Amino acid sequence: MWHDIEHVFIEQSLVAAFAVVGALILVSNLAAKRFTRGRVHGSAIAIVLGLGLAYVGGLYTGGKKGVADIPALAGIGLMGGAMLRDFAIVATAFEVDVIEARRAGLVGVLALALGTIIPFLVGTLTAVAFGYHDAVSITTIGAGAITYIVGPVTGAAIGADSTVMALSIATGVTKAVMVMVGTPLVAKLIGLDNPRSAMAYGGLMGTVSGVAGGLAATDPKLVPYGALTATFHTGIGCLVGPSIFYLTVRALVG
Amino acid sequence: MIVLGVALLAACTLVGVYLGDLLGVALGVKANVGGVGIAMILLIVARLWLSRRGGLTKGVQFGVEFWAGMYIPIVVAMAAQQNVVAAVSGGPIVVIAATGSLVLCFGAVALLSRIGRRDPGSPEVEHGGSVIGGEAVPAPTGKQG
């Protein structure tokens, strides 16, 4: 009986993922209404639940892809993978109000610059504090603080060893998870309630998965504005990480 | 035709990602430089062009808005496949670097969002939010071509 159900889930993996995620969101919306009287967004609960399940799934399978490593839930990997995620992000741009976006444009550019420099500085200083003295390791860990893609891309380009790469990726993943969970909590405090601040937020936080989750959990109307700037962030990080940043660090530490 | 909307979205995504790849090669980076962002800009431009020429039919609109409405469910699926175990067991250097940059960046958002006057918000933005939140009735009045 159980085996047959599992078989259907494996064979119809993407369809099963739609059903499972739909059920998860239904439960989260009910919980948001019942227990928080609508003060916490249903999507915020769903995303935190998703992260919790990813933790349990990761412990259970020992894999790197959360619940997607469980064969019956492999469709979640397809549904939440980069392809459909980017497709849906682009679709949100259809809802962009051009006037609002133009007004926010300059702030977005400024945010992109700060969002690359600030995390890199924090990452490098932490690396130095923990006893890393070579330019390659310091740069790779610093780049990981930008996003978990910039870290390994930079590390691979300048020849970092695998333990440093792992640290760099873990830093980026931790940041992404913290952005998803933390954004709705601090949204009011940092003035994240209009398209302009959402564009600043997207450029500063960068991590596309973090921003995707953080804004979805905070306020859907801000999603396209934050996503627009955030999607440039990784590319810029990969550009300056192995070049300007590495050369600067090498000049400083020798 | 709904499929025309989906095809428009797909075409914008493909062209954007392709341009992002080209930009990456041109700049000598092993990554896509802003491909999704370029795709978003293409879609915004395509929408303006279509609405001016009267080509923004209900079907086209629904084909794109369906995927905008799937955004949050897809993000939930994305959250469920993060390597949370690695994030939780990363050790102090990981936690300090991540928390430090997060706090400073949140601070910078607060600073930047205070530049200039406050946004009163607009009905278009509110409507976009309800579409992405998955609560809007497709093809609203006033936005049709």
Side-chain angles (χ1 to χ4, degrees):
Chain A
M1 166 77 177
W2 174 245
H3 184 78
D4 290 334
I5 296 175
E6 198 185 359
H7 181 72
V8 172
F9 268 64
I10 292 170
E11 203 157 74
Q12 310 274 336
S13 63
L14 184 58
V15 177
F18 288 145
V20 170
V21 171
L24 200 63
I25 289 182
L26 186 69
V27 170
S28 307
N29 283 347
L30 284 178
K33 241 181 236 162
R34 277 284 156 75
F35 302 123
T36 75
R37 288 197 198 138
R39 261 176 304 182
V40 179
H41 223 280
S43 344
I45 297 175
I47 288 164
V48 172
L49 267 181
L51 290 171
L53 290 176
Y55 181 70
V56 175
L59 284 184
Y60 175 67
T61 63
K64 289 180 176 169
K65 290 183 68 192
V67 296
D69 283 323
I70 301 168
L73 294 174
I76 303 253
L78 191 53
M79 181 178 171
M83 181 171 69
L84 282 186
R85 185 197 65 193
D86 289 349
F87 196 58
I89 288 180
V90 175
T92 64
F94 208 61
E95 309 304 328
V96 162
D97 180 9
V98 182
I99 299 159
E100 296 275 357
R102 212 184 281 161
R103 208 184 294 162
L106 196 67
V107 174
V109 173
L110 187 61
L112 272 173
L114 286 177
T116 316
I117 296 168
I118 294 174
F120 184 74
L121 274 179
V122 174
T124 50
L125 291 178
T126 316
V128 171
F130 275 81
Y132 289 92
H133 296 300
D134 60 301
V136 170
S137 303
I138 295 173
T139 309
T140 306
I141 294 170
I146 303 176
T147 77
Y148 60 81
I149 309 230
V150 176
V153 166
T154 302
I158 60 180
D161 74 67
S162 66
T163 46
V164 172
M165 291 276 257
L167 267 183
S168 164
I169 296 170
T171 305
V173 172
T174 307
K175 184 182 163 197
V177 170
M178 286 173 136
V179 172
M180 281 187 227
V181 178
T183 302
L185 301 178
V186 298
K188 258 200 194 126
L189 197 70
I190 62 176
L192 186 59
D193 59 2
N194 61 73
R196 196 186 52 229
S197 59
M199 281 182 94
Y201 163 85
L204 269 154
M205 295 301 152
T207 156
V208 175
S209 31
V211 166
L215 281 180
T218 306
D219 187 349
K221 76 170 191 273
L222 302 176
V223 161
Y225 303 93
L228 188 56
T229 44
T231 51
F232 284 97
H233 185 275
T234 300
I236 290 172
C238 291
L239 177 64
V240 295
S243 56
I244 302 171
F245 283 176
Y246 174 58
L247 294 175
T248 311
V249 172
R250 205 177 57 178
L252 286 174
V253 299
Chain B
M1 292 272 276
I2 290 172
V3 73
L4 294 181
V6 182
L8 172 72
L9 174 58
C12 288
T13 308
L14 292 173
V15 173
V17 171
Y18 175 67
L19 291 177
D21 276 337
L22 277 189
L23 201 56
V25 171
L27 296 168
V29 212
K30 273 187 282 179
N32 184 293
V33 180
V36 172
I38 298 170
M40 292 176 83
I41 294 168
L42 286 175
L43 187 67
I44 296 171
V45 172
R47 190 214 164 101
L48 279 177
W49 188 77
L50 277 177
S51 68
R52 279 195 192 133
R53 294 186 36 132
L56 197 63
T57 60
K58 268 191 182 186
V60 169
Q61 215 164 321
F62 182 65
V64 184
E65 287 184 343
F66 172 79
W67 286 101
M70 282 302 284
Y71 176 82
I72 288 174
I74 285 174
V75 165
V76 172
M78 176 196 81
Q81 52 163 318
Q82 298 291 311
N83 194 355
V84 183
V85 174
V88 170
S89 57
I93 179 169
V94 165
V95 175
I96 292 170
T99 319
S101 51
L102 198 69
V103 170
L104 285 180
C105 285
F106 276 148
V109 175
L111 214 69
L112 285 182
S113 68
R114 272 165 185 72
I115 294 177
R117 64 196 165 83
R118 262 192 56 80
D119 249 287
S122 72
E124 282 82 8
V125 175
E126 292 293 336
H127 170 74
S130 62
V131 170
I132 296 162
E135 283 146 9
V137 185
T141 51
K143 275 197 149 190
Q144 294 163 29

